[in-house]
């Protein structure tokens, strides 16, 4: 053992040798195996949750890294040094972040409350009139001081300095200050949250989510049409019967709506009587990113004209509608006195969207059913008032006003992923898929087919009672066709999981109601990119789909017109 009295050979004093005790040698092979095992488990988890590509990449990196470390020890040592550096930096960053969070969210609010209440937990208690803070300890009255040697043990028998009245006044004042701070913070947060509502480019996402995809190349009118479609979508309003409704009138260069019907191509000639055909469907039937005279109904009217059949088509397509909503829309039109010769439905995609958004269900409902129930306070998903002031009372209105401005309520809704009250439920078109799509795929397909079958039965019953005919078409989407070059971005767009949607689509397709025209393969032979996203096509895709539909509709249209007409 060395000491300060030890001297070197020259007689000078040297510092003591406080060298650290050498650590026992580790086992790098064991640690490497543990790291590799953890990485492989993570890769397996990615694979099991429907992400095979990242899982395969991670597995390959682990295997390559392990082989390189075994063959080149210097590389392994360099990797260890890099890992230690990353761990050291990450530790420092996490320490700053976590301790900073504790300081901001724990110590600061606690100290603020204590300051408002004038409470000092470290202040000695007792009679300050004494010459000192020494107090005689009664035998057995206090714990032995050796248990808490660095704290002051107050005498429990001494009266407290602050009485109940002062504490109560301080508590009321603190509550008032906290309420004012909550309302002020909420007003600022809500103001910042909705400061961009007047600027559509910032607050509203365009429905044309992939503006540079190959399907839209060579269409100079596309940007202007997309802006017109966005205006129609964001100008929709609540409808208590259908869920929501589009503007009844809109005038644009490429998109025009009159009395809720989008303008379509009008044939100029033909033989026999004019056949009226009402088309109902979602956004694909409405004609997203297709001009008025190039939608599916317009193309069918043009094909019928070439066959000598004069059609008067009405495009009642509604963005984001499913078949059940369209059936209700048709019943509303019939109740108002409109009776077409033929009602044509084009569906499939939004039935799956509802299942993945709301969760698998067999009862007909639209995509915003849960959100409407939550806002109104009805049903299983409503925020029912079990306790509290009666609705409509003055106290209730005060409570609602507080909710609208409260920073606490704003934060709680954000943590739950619930839109704030100023944000309309249907202002955002981007779907929010629940849970893991792969796990829900088969059940979602079964539910989609069941709800679709309910709408089909309702429509056919209505048609038989009012004397018109119906035709149901199951639509193609990107997951029902081969993905051609230029459509890669469409697969997986808007957060859809391609593997899950292919399963769900196939399951629903196999359970279609009898008599439904399945045209899922209509786009299979098209070798050019026609998909803007996972469901919407360009004008060429709409024309291909229209031809597939017209082949099934032609015999029906000839009978409705009267006369055989030329063969085709």
């Amino acid at each position: 053992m060395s000491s300060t009295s030890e001297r070197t050979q020259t007689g000078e004093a040297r510092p003591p040798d406080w060298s650290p005790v050498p650590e026992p040698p580790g086992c790098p092979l064991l640690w490497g195996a543990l790291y590799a095992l953890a990485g492989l488990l993570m890769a397996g988890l990615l694979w099991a949750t429907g992400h095979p590509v990242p899982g395969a990449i991670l597995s390959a990196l682990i295997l390559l890294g392990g082989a390189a470390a075994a063959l080149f020890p210097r590389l392994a040592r360099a990797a260890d040094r890099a890992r230690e550096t990353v761990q050291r930096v990450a530790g420092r960053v996490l320490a700053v972040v976590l301790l900073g969070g504790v300081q901001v969210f724990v110590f600061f609010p606690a100290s603020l409350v204590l300051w408002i209440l004038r409470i000092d937990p470290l202040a000695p208690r007792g009679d300050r009139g004494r010459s000192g803070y020494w107090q005689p300890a009664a035998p057995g009255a206090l714990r032995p001081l050796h248990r808490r040697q660095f704290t002051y043990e107050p005498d429990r028998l001494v009266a407290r300095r602050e009485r109940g009245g002062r504490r109560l006044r301080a508590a009321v004042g603190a509550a008032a200050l906290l309420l004012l701070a909550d309302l002020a913070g909420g007003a600022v947060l809500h103001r910042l949250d909705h400061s961009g509502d007047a600027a559509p480019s910032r607050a509203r996402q365009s429905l044309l989510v992939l503006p540079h995809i190959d399907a839209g190349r060579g269409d100079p009118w596309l940007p202007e049409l997309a802006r017109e479609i966005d205006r129609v979508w964001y100008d929709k309003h609540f409808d208590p019967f259908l869920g929501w409704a589009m503007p009844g009138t809109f005038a644009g260069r490429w998109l025009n709506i009159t009395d809720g019907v989008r303008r379509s191509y009008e044939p100029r000639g033909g033989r026999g009587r004019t056949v009226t055909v009402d088309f109902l469907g979602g956004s694909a039937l409405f004609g997203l990113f297709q001009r008025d005279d190039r939608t599916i109904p317009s193309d069918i009217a043009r094909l019928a004209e070439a066959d000598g059949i004069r059609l008067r088509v009405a495009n009642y397509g509604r963005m984001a509608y499913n078949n059940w909503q369209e059936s209700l829309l048709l019943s509303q039109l019939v109740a108002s006195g409109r009776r077409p010769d033929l009602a044509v439905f084009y569906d499939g995609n939004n039935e799956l969207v509802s299942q993945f958004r709301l969760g698998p269900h067999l009862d007909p409902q639209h995509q915003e059913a849960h959100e409407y129930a939550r806002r109104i306070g009805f049903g299983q998903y409503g925020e029912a008032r079990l306790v509290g002031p009666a609705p409509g009372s003055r106290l209730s209105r005060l409570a609602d006003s507080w909710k609208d401005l409260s920073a606490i309520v704003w934060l709680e809704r954000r943590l739950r992923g619930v839109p704030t009250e100023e944000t309309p439920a249907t202002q955002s078109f981007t779907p929010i898929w629940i849970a893991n799509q792969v796990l829900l795929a088969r059940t979602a397909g079964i539910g989609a087919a069941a709800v679709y079958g309910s709408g089909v039965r309702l429509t056919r019953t209505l048609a038989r009672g009012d004397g018109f005919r119906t035709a149901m078409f199951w639509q193609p989407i990107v997951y029902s066709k081969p993905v051609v070059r230029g459509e890669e971005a469409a697969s997986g767009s808007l957060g859809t999981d391609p593997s899950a949607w292919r399963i769900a689509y196939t399951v629903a397709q196999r359970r279609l109601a009898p008599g439904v025209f399945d045209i899922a393969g209509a786009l299979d032979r098209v070798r050019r990119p026609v998909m803007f996203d996972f469901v919407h096509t360009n004008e060429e895709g709409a024309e291909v789909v229209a031809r597939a539909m017209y082949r099934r509709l032609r015999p029906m249209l000839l009978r409705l017109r009267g006369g055989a007409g030329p063969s085709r």
Side-chain angles (χ1 to χ4, degrees), residues 199-269:
S201 60
R202 292 177 54 194
R204 295 173 175 177
Q205 183 182 3
S206 174
L207 272 66
L208 185 60
V209 293
L210 301 171
H212 304 297
I213 199 166
D214 288 356
R217 291 186 178 178
D219 297 335
W221 40 263
L222 184 60
E224 183 178 358
L225 172 59
R227 287 191 292 269
E228 294 178 356
I229 290 174
D230 289 342
R231 288 175 57 191
V232 172
W233 170 249
Y234 287 111
D235 284 346
K236 60 187 177 299
H237 57 274
F238 172 73
D239 186 290
F241 186 66
L242 301 172
W244 62 90
M246 301 296 160
T249 303
F250 181 85
R253 184 177 181 184
W254 310 110
L255 171 61
N256 295 271
I257 300 174
T258 304
D259 296 332
V261 180
R262 184 176 183 182
R263 181 184 298 173
S264 299
Y265 175 78
E266 296 182 4
R268 299 179 180 177

Side-chain angles (χ1 to χ4, degrees), residues 25 28-29 45 115 177 218 274 371 423 527:
L29 183 61
L45 182 62
W115 177 76
L177 289 176
T274 300
E371 178 63 16
T423 305
R527 294 293 174 257

Side-chain angles (χ1 to χ4, degrees), residues 37 74 88 97-98 126 156 281 297 363 420 427 460 494 567:
L37 179 60
R74 289 186 178 180
R88 184 169 57 255
V97 172
L98 294 179
R156 295 192 180 96
D363 53 319
T420 54
Q427 279 296 85
R460 288 174 176 172
L494 290 172
S567 61

Side-chain angles (χ1 to χ4, degrees), residues 505-516:
Y505 185 93
T506 303
V507 170
Q509 183 184 19
R510 292 173 179 173
R511 288 169 170 78
L512 292 179
V516 173

